[in-house]
Amino acid sequence: MSPKPLRLGVNVDHVATVRNARGGPRPDPVRAALLAIEAGADGITAHLREDRRHITDADMARLKAAISKPLNFEMAATDQMLDVALATAPHAVCLVPEKRTERTTEGGLDVVGGHDYFIPFVDELSRAGVRVSLFIEPSLEAIDAAVSIKAPVVELHTGAWCHAVEVGDHDRAEREFARVVEAAAYGAERGLEIHAGHGLDYDTARRVSALPQIVELNIGHFLIGEAIFVGLEEAISRMRRAMEEGRAQAP
Ligand SMILES: CC(=O)[C@@H](O)[C@H](O)COP(=O)(O)O
Ligand SMILES: NCC(=O)COP(=O)(O)O
């Protein structure tokens, strides 16, 4: 059976990070989203953090109004964010953990300890026609919890693997990648749609694209950084090529 098509979701958070450094209107994450779609992005991801350190409520509303591709609204599981998400009516919501003090998303959602807490969020968003995904650690326990919470999609947090690659800790990187491989297969066997994201670059995106169960990668920080040097269109084209090369290796 040929592997399923692999989608690229481009996260525009860090266009807003650069904009907010000066407090003006530029660079505009909506302009970046439109360019990303022209360059081949299958969707746009944006993380409305509680502290609004990058994407703002207005950005999210403008993204929803402007883009022709699906909007993946990342948010913490809070009543306030739920209200914003329901008012925005995105294609999808991804529930992610947040800590005020974190520099970036550090781990996956605590779907084991917080199991019952997440059920109403998944219920209400699903009833509103929003596709819900849970941003989780690549672990079998987290997969089981996601199935029990009845979320149709999980996004496997690839940050630990990508960080180990980045710092040259080969043994740790291989252990972390093995967790991603196992969780992707285990989750797909249990009927979940499998996404992956956080910290991916061309090489790690190529490698993870070879996992046939994974149908969407959400990539932001690396692409926005690359765009500074080669332009956003070229960075996305190179990422698409890397994903296609990886997918060609899929069993
Ligand atoms: C959940 C996820 O991995 C991304 O949304 C990531 O959080 C990018 O935003 P930050 O860099 O602000 O964490
Ligand atoms: N959910 C992952 C995401 O949207 C982008 O993460 P990153 O590539 O900015 O680390």
Side-chain angles (χ1 to χ4, degrees):
M1 181 181 83
S2 57
K4 297 173 187 168
L6 178 59
R7 300 190 298 267
L8 170 61
V10 173
N11 184 314
V12 296
D13 290 351
H14 296 300
V15 179
T17 298
V18 175
R19 177 197 60 196
N20 295 359
R22 281 286 172 89
R26 296 180 301 211
D28 184 355
V30 174
R31 180 182 174 194
L34 294 172
L35 270 174
I37 289 167
E38 268 179 51
D42 298 297
I44 297 298
T45 291
H47 184 176
L48 182 64
R49 281 180 165 269
E50 287 184 279
D51 61 12
R52 277 57 171 193
R53 66 179 70 170
H54 38 57
I55 292 291
T56 65
D57 301 59
D59 290 331
M60 202 60 98
R62 290 192 306 123
L63 282 168
K64 174 63 177 16
I67 66 174
S68 57
K69 294 282 186 180
L71 174 62
N72 178 31
F73 185 132
E74 291 184 334
M75 58 177 251
T78 66
D79 290 340
Q80 185 212 45
M81 280 301 157
L82 180 61
D83 289 345
V84 178
L86 291 171
T88 308
H91 167 72
V93 159
C94 181
L95 298 179
V96 305
E98 278 186 25
K99 291 191 214 88
R100 285 297 165 96
T101 54
E102 67 186 1
R103 181 190 292 260
T104 184
T105 301
E106 287 167 351
L109 211 55
D110 180 14
V111 287
V112 177
H115 177 279
D116 293 352
Y117 174 79
F118 296 117
I119 290 174
F121 289 90
V122 175
D123 276 353
E124 187 153 359
L125 288 162
S126 301
R127 272 186 281 111
V130 178
R131 187 205 71 193
V132 185
S133 64
L134 303 177
F135 190 72
I136 62 171
E137 285 299 312
S139 77
L140 308 192
E141 298 77 16
I143 293 285
D144 285 337
V147 170
S148 172
I149 292 169
K150 295 189 172 44
V153 183
V154 293
E155 180 168 329
L156 301 180
H157 191 327
T158 51
W161 167 49
C162 293
H163 178 69
V165 170
E166 200 170 28
V167 300
D169 185 342
H170 178 74
D171 292 344
R172 173 75 189 271
E174 288 310 298
R175 285 198 306 276
E176 291 297 340
F177 186 66
R179 293 179 71 218
V180 175
V181 173
E182 188 182 31
Y186 186 74
E189 281 162 16
R190 277 145 191 78
L192 292 173
E193 180 173 306
I194 310 295
H195 299 178
H198 201 92
L200 293 170
D201 64 15
Y202 296 136
D203 295 331
T204 48
R206 181 180 295 106
R207 190 170 184 197
V208 80
S209 295
L211 305 184
Q213 302 88 0
I214 292 179
V215 297
E216 182 172 304
L217 299 183
N218 286 295
I219 307 173
H221 184 265
F222 174 75
L223 281 176
I224 303 309
E226 276 293 286
I228 294 170
F229 304 106
V230 302
L232 186 57
E233 183 177 2
E234 177 60 20
I236 289 173
S237 297
R238 292 181 187 183
M239 185 57 78
R240 291 241 54 136
R241 265 198 307 279
M243 291 167 63
E244 284 154 15
E245 288 163 5
R247 203 49 155 200
Q249 304 303 315

